[in-house]
Amino acid sequence: MWWFQQGMSFLPTALVIWSGAAFSFSFITAVTLHHVDPLVPYISDIGTTPPERCLFGIMLSISAFLGVGTMYVRYKQVDALIREEASVVYRLNQVGFGLGLVSCLGLCIVANFQKTTLIQAHIVGAVLTFGMGIIYLLMHTIISYKMQPVFHGIKIFWIRCVLLIWCAGSILSMFVSSVALYITIPTIEMAMKLHWSPSEKKITLTAEVKLCSDTLYERLQTLERSGERSTHLAGSL
């Protein structure tokens, strides 16, 4: 018998495979129909236009239910091993399960409220998904540390610790880049934008430089017509 066939091990396995398939199929459909650019599009962009929007919504909703099942199994596993209600592990397990359910709810919101339809709800769902998810992972990293070496080895703790650092770094980079994007482009315009051109920034800078040069040229022409001479300006030129 394979390891994923033992007990409820199929739940986390199905969660990972199904979630990966949800993003992959939506991405392939969106790129094939030229709805998004093929070079690393924004995740939310691949779930904004039919038919990939329908695929994105239903598959991520199923992923959320698989996530609830996985977190419940983990909760009952720790609860069966730690019976002391006054222990730190017991309390962390309860709080972590609650946060995990909120994270799955956020995933459902992200899947069914597209950024082009209702950007505020989409952002709230993303905050719940990633914010509560990283806290859930932190709590179970602490639980794994508290449970070793009685219930499992130190290796389980280090695996969870590496995953925690990796996920925290990914969320931080996503947050910084998203904030920079929202500052540069108004929220509504950014939400509706699905295609990006590398020349857009260059065109903007060129227009600014041209405007400044035209303004300086007109100023010089005005000074010459009026007969004014500026020693400082002439020296600068």
Side-chain angles (χ1 to χ4, degrees):
M1 179 180 293
W2 295 93
W3 62 269
F4 57 84
Q5 295 176 309
Q6 300 178 8
M8 303 298 292
S9 300
F10 71 91
L11 272 176
T13 306
L15 173 62
V16 172
I17 295 175
W18 185 268
S19 300
F23 293 116
S24 300
F25 292 159
S26 299
F27 170 75
I28 293 172
T29 305
V31 172
T32 302
L33 298 177
H34 305 288
H35 292 163
V36 298
D37 297 324
L39 184 60
V40 194
Y42 197 56
I43 295 178
S44 299
D45 290 350
I46 63 177
T48 57
T49 308
E52 62 268 17
R53 180 175 69 183
C54 307
L55 189 64
F56 186 82
I58 191 171
M59 292 191 73
L60 279 191
S61 296
I62 294 175
S63 292
F65 284 107
L66 289 174
V68 170
T70 301
M71 292 174 182
Y72 179 73
V73 170
R74 173 61 178 170
Y75 166 76
K76 294 301 291 184
Q77 180 189 44
V78 176
D79 183 68
L81 296 175
I82 307 296
R83 288 293 185 178
E84 301 175 8
E85 297 186 1
S87 66
V88 176
V89 174
Y90 184 84
R91 294 177 180 176
L92 286 176
N93 189 40
Q94 288 187 320
V95 175
F97 180 59
L99 293 176
L101 295 180
V102 175
S103 178
C104 293
L105 174 62
L107 184 60
C108 276
I109 295 176
V110 168
N112 296 283
F113 291 87
Q114 294 78 26
K115 69 167 192 167
T116 54
T117 305
L118 196 58
I119 182 64
Q120 293 82 3
H122 190 81
I123 293 176
V124 169
V127 171
L128 292 178
T129 301
F130 296 111
M132 298 300 102
I134 196 66
I135 298 176
Y136 173 84
L137 185 54
L138 172 62
M139 287 189 171
H140 276 277
T141 302
I142 298 174
I143 289 175
S144 294
Y145 178 78
K146 294 287 187 180
M147 292 179 67
Q148 60 87 30
V150 178
F151 298 103
H152 55 68
I154 191 67
K155 184 183 296 185
I156 300 297
F157 162 73
W158 283 116
I159 291 175
R160 291 186 182 276
C161 191
V162 170
L163 290 175
L164 174 64
I165 296 173
W166 180 29
C167 292
S170 300
I171 292 174
L172 180 62
S173 63
M174 180 188 67
F175 175 78
V176 172
S177 59
S178 297
V179 169
L181 184 62
Y182 279 110
I183 293 176
T184 306
I185 304 175
T187 303
I188 302 301
E189 292 184 14
M190 193 284 296
M192 301 301 295
K193 193 172 184 62
L194 300 179
H195 296 278
W196 298 87
S197 175
S199 61
E200 287 176 344
K201 187 66 175 179
K202 182 179 179 181
I203 292 175
T204 304
L205 293 176
T206 303
E208 292 175 357
V209 172
K210 187 176 184 299
L211 177 62
C212 293
S213 63
D214 289 344
T215 304
L216 177 60
Y217 176 76
E218 293 173 359
R219 176 60 178 164
L220 290 175
Q221 293 296 320
T222 303
L223 289 175
E224 290 180 359
R225 285 195 299 267
S226 62
E228 298 178 6
R229 307 298 294 178
S230 173
T231 307
H232 178 72
L233 182 58
S236 300
L237 293 174

